[in-house]
Amino acid sequence: MTRVDFWRSLWRNTPLRGGLGRRILLWFLVLSLVPLLVSNSVGYGVSRRIIESQLERYLRALAEVQAQQVATEIERHQLFLNGITVSSRPLFRAIPAAAAAVQAGRIQEPPVTTLGAHLDHELKELRTLTELFVLDTTGTVIAASEGNRLGQDWSRSKLFRRGRAEHFFEADWDDRGGSVVPLYRLAVSIRDERGEEKGVLGGSVGFEALQSFLRHPEHPVIDVHAFIVDHLGLPVFISHPHIPVDYRQPFPSPLIGQPPGSVARYVNYEGVDVVGTSMAVSGVPWLYISEVSVASALGQLRGLALLAAGLESVFALLLVAVVWMVARSIVAPLRRLVVAAERIREGDLDVEVGIERDDELGDLGRTFNQMSSELRSSVLEIQELHEKEMRRAAQLASVGELASGIAHEIKNPLVGVASGVDLLSRRVGEDAKSVALLDQMHSQILRIESAIQDLLSYASPKEPLLAWTDPKQLVDKIVALVRSQADAAGVRIEEQHAEALPMIRVDPELLTQALVNLALNAIQAMEPGGVLRISVAMIDSDVGISISDTGKGITPDEMERIYRPFYTTKHQGTGLGLAITRAIVERHGGHIRVESDLGEGATFTLVIPATPQEALVR
């Protein structure tokens, strides 16, 4: 056997191939996996919202602390410059002399060199500054830690204008061979003991020294990235850039322009999906932004989700294996039952199933075997009854043929006898005894004719001649035919008709005969004062003509025999009336049904198929 044949054979024999096996698998999956998937999904969603909420609070707290740290460092350096101006007031008294020397080009004179040496000393004390310099009241650099600045005119700079009146800290730009990077400057006013302005003490913080200046680590916390932008959105400081940054272009962050404390998820300048928040830096028009990558924040949760998905897949495979075993224990016995039922349907009544189990399937197998045995017995009984009925039908057919022949043989002489009786009735005159005797003879002759007619109708039924007939008119005709018999028996007739009745395609003569038979039977079954009800109504899509009486009713034993030929409970009659009536109704494609309660009467209903309206149009 090839591998393909093996898998095909395995698939054909698997219990999950059938409809029941698939439904068992489906319900197992629905009842087992769906709650698991829902609980995992809900748990993942809740966990993610909790982590995101904690992350937002964490980033806000971190940004607030770091923004305060940046403001504190800026203020600390400004205080350091203030301390220099206060502690060096005696030295700064030489500013006018140093200014005169610089303007005269004598930069090596003691006032200039002394101030420069003092600035170098102070710069070593605070290594986070790149340079220190002194401006006189005209904005000219008269002392600097970098000698090349001596004599520069800074009178138009914001550092000089604002530094004279207040503390100053602002970003500037430094062009380094085509690469523009930010340069940060701060300044304080120099005043003597009387508060008179002597100049401005300024300092610079280079791009490389800014991180030390702000005492800001590359990563405030593991995986947290921070940067500072000014009021225009231009980057001032980036804690740890991974790609080159253009410091002259606004930073691409939705937090810029939003109130401090806002939280947003976005793709940062490095193309990384991050969650970020912002805080204002007090004292300067800066915005501190801290962000963390979504992959880092939710990485473990996503890993947990992947682990859960893997475990769910393993659980699904195990569930399929369990379902296969369960289905095999259920579907295989049922399949044997189906095969056995198919064999019974094909006529093999000796089949049995071998399900030796002590559960419901075992009970089902034993019940099936018992049913098969009883079915064999029933079939044998039915065959015997069928043979008896066939013999009875053959006998009845022979009797019918014999009765038909005898009826024809009797009918012709009977006509002659009836004619003779009529002739004698006219000749006897007024002899009362003779008239009574002849009337009795005439009555018996009519009785014989009726019996002969019933025999002929039963033995040789004629085919119906169908015509469109209104059921209401048919009932009116029946009432007119039996009115005299009802009046003579003291029976009242009631009619009930539905408002809208369709036409029926019947033989009016045959159907009238059937209904008259039922009506006369009903009249004969009642005592004086009884009520004969004839009604016409729709029964589903058929027309039902019902004849009810208020007589004694029909017993259950009689109900089983009333349609048998020659069966009657009367002293007179052939017992063929109901048999003929049922045959007439069945030849019209309908059926007859009877309802009876002992002591309350009986109701016979002729159900005739209604004619569709489109058939009437044609």
Side-chain angles (χ1 to χ4, degrees):
M1 178 184 293
T2 64
R3 183 176 299 179
V4 175
D5 293 337
F6 170 76
W7 288 111
R8 286 179 179 175
S9 175
L10 182 63
W11 170 245
R12 283 194 299 267
N13 296 324
T14 179
L16 300 180
R17 183 168 175 260
L20 180 59
R22 289 197 300 269
R23 282 194 293 272
I24 292 175
L25 176 60
L26 176 62
W27 281 113
F28 263 85
L29 292 176
V30 169
L31 296 177
S32 301
L33 285 183
V34 170
L36 181 62
L37 291 174
V38 171
S39 62
N40 285 349
S41 300
V42 172
Y44 178 81
V46 171
S47 300
R48 178 165 183 155
R49 286 194 294 272
I50 292 174
I51 292 175
E52 289 177 347
S53 176
Q54 294 292 337
L55 179 63
E56 291 176 4
R57 288 198 292 269
Y58 172 73
L59 285 177
R60 285 196 188 98
L62 180 64
E64 184 176 5
V65 170
Q66 292 298 325
Q68 184 61 39
Q69 172 69 21
V70 170
T72 299
E73 289 300 316
I74 294 174
E75 184 178 3
R76 186 173 70 85
H77 284 79
Q78 290 174 337
L79 291 175
F80 174 77
L81 293 185
N82 277 333
I84 294 176
T85 59
V86 172
S87 63
S88 304
R89 282 176 180 171
L91 186 63
F92 287 152
R93 291 173 185 163
I95 288 179
V102 170
Q103 289 177 0
R106 301 188 299 274
I107 59 175
Q108 297 298 327
E109 289 192 0
V112 177
T113 57
T114 300
L115 282 176
H118 182 69
L119 293 179
D120 288 337
H121 174 75
E122 294 294 343
L123 188 63
K124 292 178 181 179
E125 293 293 327
L126 190 63
R127 298 178 181 179
T128 53
L129 293 180
T130 306
E131 63 173 333
L132 286 174
F133 49 88
V134 176
L135 306 178
D136 64 8
T137 55
T138 64
T140 303
V141 178
I142 61 171
S145 58
E146 295 184 6
N148 57 354
R149 289 199 182 278
L150 292 177
Q152 291 181 356
D153 183 8
W154 285 44
S155 60
R156 298 180 179 276
S157 67
K158 287 191 294 182
L159 181 144
F160 176 69
R161 295 196 309 271
R162 292 174 55 187
R164 297 172 64 184
E166 59 182 345
H167 293 170
F168 170 80
F169 186 84
E170 194 166 313
D172 200 351
W173 302 102
D174 186 11
D175 188 355
R176 297 185 177 182
S179 176
V180 178
V181 294
L183 180 69
Y184 308 95
R185 304 188 191 279
L186 65 164
V188 295
S189 175
I190 302 174
R191 297 182 181 276
D192 59 16
E193 294 84 350
R194 294 187 299 273
E196 293 181 0
E197 181 185 354
K198 294 298 183 179
V200 174
L201 174 62
S204 299
V205 181
F207 177 71
E208 293 82 1
L210 183 60
Q211 192 162 1
S212 298
F213 175 82
L214 297 177
R215 288 190 179 182
H216 196 289
E218 289 187 354
H219 293 283
V221 181
I222 297 175
D223 295 332
V224 176
H225 193 53
F227 54 91
I228 301 173
V229 296
D230 62 12
H231 63 287
L232 299 177
L234 298 175
V236 172
F237 166 76
I238 298 176
S239 63
H240 187 66
H242 299 98
I243 61 175
V245 179
D246 186 356
Y247 287 86
R248 303 303 295 267
Q249 295 294 327
F251 216 67
S253 174
L255 294 171
I256 299 174
Q258 297 294 324
S262 300
V263 178
R265 179 176 175 175
Y266 55 92
V267 177
N268 67 3
Y269 75 99
E270 296 177 344
V272 179
D273 187 16
V274 298
V275 176
T277 187
S278 63
M279 284 292 170
V281 180
S282 61
V284 290
W286 287 0
L287 192 67
Y288 184 95
I289 298 176
S290 62
E291 61 185 28
V292 62
S293 67
V294 174
S296 174
L298 303 178
Q300 292 184 350
L301 183 61
R302 289 180 177 175
L304 183 61
L306 293 175
L307 177 61
L311 293 177
E312 288 170 359
S313 301
V314 173
F315 179 74
L317 293 176
L318 292 176
L319 186 62
V320 170
V322 171
V323 172
W324 186 86
M325 295 175 63
V326 173
R328 183 178 180 181
S329 65
I330 296 175
V331 175
L334 291 179
R335 186 170 294 170
R336 291 201 294 271
L337 286 171
V338 171
V339 172
E342 289 289 336
R343 290 177 59 185
I344 289 178
R345 185 179 64 83
E346 294 172 357
D348 184 5
L349 301 180
D350 296 325
V351 63
E352 290 186 354
V353 293
I355 303 178
E356 302 298 333
R357 296 170 56 160
D358 294 331
D359 55 9
E360 289 78 2
L361 287 174
D363 295 339
L364 181 60
R366 288 186 287 272
T367 303
F368 181 88
N369 293 334
Q370 183 179 358
M371 179 197 69
S372 176
S373 176
E374 293 176 355
L375 184 60
R376 287 195 299 272
S377 301
S378 299
V379 168
L380 293 175
E381 292 178 2
I382 291 173
Q383 289 176 349
E384 292 176 359
L385 291 174
H386 178 68
E387 292 174 357
K388 291 180 180 179
E389 290 297 326
M390 291 299 294
R391 289 194 295 269
R392 178 177 174 81
Q395 292 173 357
L396 288 176
S398 300
V399 171
E401 293 178 1
L402 179 59
S404 177
I406 294 174
H408 280 289
E409 292 296 329
I410 294 175
K411 187 174 182 181
N412 293 330
L414 192 60
V415 172
V417 174
S419 300
V421 171
D422 290 338
L423 182 60
L424 289 174
S425 297
R426 289 193 295 270
R427 292 183 178 181
V428 295
E430 297 180 358
D431 186 356
K433 292 183 178 180
S434 300
V435 171
L437 180 60
L438 291 174
D439 288 341
Q440 183 67 23
M441 292 175 63
H442 188 269
S443 175
Q444 295 301 321
I445 290 171
L446 292 178
R447 181 180 174 187
I448 295 172
E449 286 182 347
S450 177
I452 291 173
Q453 185 60 42
D454 286 345
L455 285 172
L456 290 174
S457 297
Y458 180 75
S460 302
K462 66 176 184 178
E463 288 298 323
L465 301 176
L466 302 179
W468 299 116
T469 304
D470 185 353
K472 293 181 181 180
Q473 295 178 0
L474 191 62
V475 170
D476 292 339
K477 180 180 178 181
I478 296 164
V479 172
L481 291 174
V482 301
R483 175 73 70 180
S484 59
Q485 287 88 340
D487 292 342
V491 173
R492 178 165 50 90
I493 299 177
E494 293 182 358
E495 294 185 58
Q496 295 178 353
H497 303 310
E499 293 183 358
L501 292 171
M503 299 289 284
I504 54 177
R505 187 172 173 80
V506 297
D507 185 326
E509 181 180 349
L510 288 179
L511 199 57
T512 299
Q513 178 186 351
L515 292 170
V516 167
N517 284 341
L518 294 176
L520 292 176
N521 287 345
I523 292 172
Q524 295 169 7
M526 291 185 286
E527 299 293 334
V531 179
L532 174 65
R533 294 184 179 89
I534 303 178
S535 61
V536 186
M538 294 299 297
I539 301 177
D540 294 333
S541 59
D542 299 328
V543 175
I545 304 175
S546 299
I547 297 178
S548 304
D549 62 64
T550 56
K552 296 180 181 180
I554 305 173
T555 66
D557 292 338
E558 293 174 346
M559 194 79 72
E560 297 179 359
R561 299 192 294 270
I562 57 176
Y563 295 113
R564 289 184 182 178
F566 309 111
Y567 173 77
T568 180
T569 59
K570 305 173 187 177
H571 297 293
Q572 298 178 352
T574 60
L576 294 173
L578 287 178
I580 293 172
T581 298
R582 184 169 70 170
I584 291 174
V585 174
E586 291 177 349
R587 287 203 296 274
H588 283 84
H591 62 276
I592 184 172
R593 62 191 187 189
V594 60
E595 299 174 356
S596 178
D597 294 325
L598 288 177
E600 296 183 5
T603 300
F604 286 83
T605 303
L606 276 61
V607 181
I608 307 298
T611 302
Q613 294 296 326
E614 56 270 18
L616 294 176
V617 174
R618 291 197 294 269

